[in-house]
Amino acid sequence: MRSSQVAERTEVRLARLRIAVITAAIITLLMVVVGLVADAVMTRAQNDQVRRELRYGAARGDLSSPPVCTWLYAAGATPLANAPDGFPVRADLDRVRRTDEAVERVVHRNGTVYLARTEARADGNVVQAVFDLRFQLADRRHLWYALGVAELVGLVAAAVTGAVLGRLSVAPLAEALARQRRFVTDASHELRTPVTQVYTRAQVLSRQARAARLPAEHRDGLARLVGSVGRLGAVLDDLLLSASLAADPARPAERVPVDLTALARSVVAEEAERIRDGGLTVTVGGARRSLFVGGVESALRRAVGELLSNAISHTPAGGRVEVTLTGSGSAVELTVSDTGPGFDPAEAERLFERFHRAGDGGRYGLGLALLREVVTGHGGTVTAAGRPGRGARFTIRLPECAAPPERIPAAPVTAGHV
């Protein structure tokens, strides 16, 4: 999988390529059709002309001075000195004498093609006229040669034309995508401050309501308001991170070795209150050493936090969430598995679509889609596996990197739980 920006650029390039290919194919097809029509018209015209001359020669031609490219054979007549070998066709002469019906056939002799017509004249003499088709066949070959050259030139011209048309026609799409990203970034920035202020004020009012012992319905209403504004702030944060990743995913200058083991423990600690309120057990295990990956710590923290938050949200009270880290020297795997309701395996890939609505009615919003953008922006992959009623398992795989040189080796990390 690729980051959003790479995917958009790839789609734009593919759109240009499709337009270029379609344009070239249409022009090529038209030229082929024109060539076939020209060949058919030329062949028919030649055949009609040859047959007219052949019939005239067989019926009225002078035996001693036949038309050009034609030879006449009859009983008692001496063939011309340049007459082709293998003629006349005796079987046709005998057949016409028996049936008095004209016979016309194509004969392949001497490396060329002849058209032979045998018929009985009004005076009873049976005459066979033979026409050499080599010049007509040569004209057809020259026609196809010229069409082939024109086809190659036309194909090059069509490819260039298609490329130009593709660039001109797709340019508005690329500009629209860029404007969309700018709008999301600008809108998110403009909304972030007032939403943060509203969220802070709502929290203060909620605490004051509890201290003043206001009626339960008022306290519950303020609590719901705090939750709603908090979720709105989380969506804005997601949009901002997604826009920044699309604009410049995980810039190399910002990449540093990140201890994924310590980061995972820190994320679990941040969710301690939710874990306790939900009556869950969360463990962190696997590798007994620090595992480093190169990347942006804030983005990776958001990705791991999304996986853990997703597992906590879908695991009922008394359930268990396991965070496991393993390293192979070339890659680091972080797996978050839970004992929640799971999901249909057919939806595993669609879970990472923005605002995907699962078959059970659950909606996943931007979180998992943003998670994939972060992971792919760091050169990694993320997969999901699960079965209905048997929980879910999400696995992030990232390239492992060396620890920072100035770092003092940490004490061995042991499995723990919250």
Side-chain angles (χ1 to χ4, degrees):
M1 297 297 294
R2 295 159 293 186
S3 66
S4 175
Q5 185 189 31
V6 175
E8 287 179 2
R9 290 177 178 175
T10 301
E11 286 299 324
V12 170
R13 285 196 297 268
L14 289 177
R16 291 173 179 169
L17 179 61
R18 282 193 292 268
I19 292 175
V21 170
I22 292 173
T23 302
I26 291 175
I27 295 177
T28 302
L29 181 61
L30 287 175
M31 294 187 69
V32 170
V33 171
V34 170
L36 292 175
V37 172
D39 179 73
V41 171
M42 181 177 181
T43 300
R44 181 169 182 175
Q46 286 181 339
N47 289 340
D48 289 345
Q49 180 183 3
V50 168
R51 283 190 168 85
R52 284 196 301 270
E53 293 181 3
L54 194 66
R55 290 173 181 173
Y56 175 83
R60 301 183 181 82
D62 186 350
L63 297 178
S64 61
S65 181
V68 178
C69 295
T70 304
W71 294 271
L72 300 178
Y73 300 89
T78 302
L80 299 179
N82 64 346
D85 297 334
F87 292 98
V89 181
R90 301 293 179 182
D92 291 353
L93 291 172
D94 295 340
R95 179 178 175 181
V96 171
R97 290 190 183 100
R98 291 195 311 270
T99 63
D100 203 29
E101 293 180 358
V103 176
E104 190 172 297
R105 71 163 71 192
V106 175
V107 181
H108 295 267
R109 298 273 172 85
N110 309 317
T112 187
V113 181
Y114 299 91
L115 186 62
R117 179 181 177 83
T118 308
E119 65 175 70
R121 291 186 172 181
D123 58 4
N125 193 16
V126 176
V127 177
Q128 186 172 99
V130 178
F131 191 93
D132 190 347
L133 295 172
R134 72 180 67 194
F135 296 109
Q136 283 74 17
L137 296 177
D139 289 342
R140 296 174 195 175
R141 286 194 298 270
H142 292 155
L143 172 64
W144 277 110
Y145 177 77
L147 290 174
V149 173
E151 180 73 20
L152 292 177
V153 174
L155 186 59
V156 173
V160 174
T161 302
V164 173
L165 289 177
R167 183 172 295 275
L168 292 177
S169 59
V170 176
L173 172 61
E175 178 62 22
L177 291 174
R179 289 186 178 183
Q180 180 186 30
R181 286 195 298 270
R182 288 196 297 269
F183 171 77
V184 171
T185 303
D186 295 343
S188 299
H189 273 296
E190 292 296 326
L191 290 172
R192 193 175 190 181
T193 299
V195 168
T196 301
Q197 293 173 347
V198 171
Y199 181 64
T200 302
R201 185 58 180 165
Q203 285 181 314
V204 172
L205 290 175
S206 181
R207 285 195 296 269
Q208 291 176 347
R210 288 196 300 270
R213 297 184 179 180
L214 293 179
E217 60 270 19
H218 296 327
R219 296 198 302 271
D220 292 342
L222 285 172
R224 287 194 295 271
L225 176 62
V226 170
S228 297
V229 177
R231 287 190 294 273
L232 176 59
V235 170
L236 290 176
D237 288 340
D238 287 344
L239 290 172
L240 276 172
L241 181 55
S242 177
S244 64
L245 288 173
D248 195 0
R251 293 187 293 271
E254 297 181 357
R255 290 179 181 266
V256 296
V258 178
D259 185 349
L260 202 60
T261 304
L263 186 147
R265 286 188 167 280
S266 175
V267 170
V268 172
E270 292 172 358
E271 294 284 359
E273 185 176 351
R274 285 186 63 195
I275 294 170
R276 187 167 49 253
D277 293 343
L280 305 177
T281 299
V282 179
T283 62
V284 181
R288 295 180 176 272
R289 62 183 178 89
S290 296
L291 299 173
F292 289 89
V293 297
V296 181
E297 182 175 358
S298 59
L300 291 173
R301 179 178 293 274
R302 189 60 183 272
V304 176
E306 175 59 32
L307 280 189
L308 183 61
S309 176
N310 181 70
I312 293 173
S313 300
H314 289 83
T315 303
R320 184 179 182 86
V321 177
E322 295 181 356
V323 181
T324 307
L325 294 106
T326 58
S328 62
S330 61
V332 175
E333 285 190 359
L334 184 147
T335 302
V336 178
S337 56
D338 61 60
T339 56
F343 55 84
D344 188 340
E347 292 191 344
E349 189 64 24
R350 297 186 60 198
L351 293 178
F352 299 99
E353 297 177 1
R354 297 189 176 204
F355 302 108
H356 169 63
R357 187 177 295 278
D360 58 2
R363 190 172 181 176
Y364 289 85
L366 280 170
L368 292 180
L370 180 60
L371 160 69
R372 171 161 281 183
E373 289 185 20
V374 171
V375 174
T376 55
H378 284 74
T381 59
V382 57
T383 56
R387 296 182 66 85
R390 297 187 181 181
R393 184 176 71 256
F394 289 82
T395 302
I396 293 176
R397 183 180 177 88
L398 294 166
E400 187 171 1
C401 73
E406 68 277 5
R407 179 180 173 85
I408 300 175
V413 179
T414 57
H417 71 276
V418 178

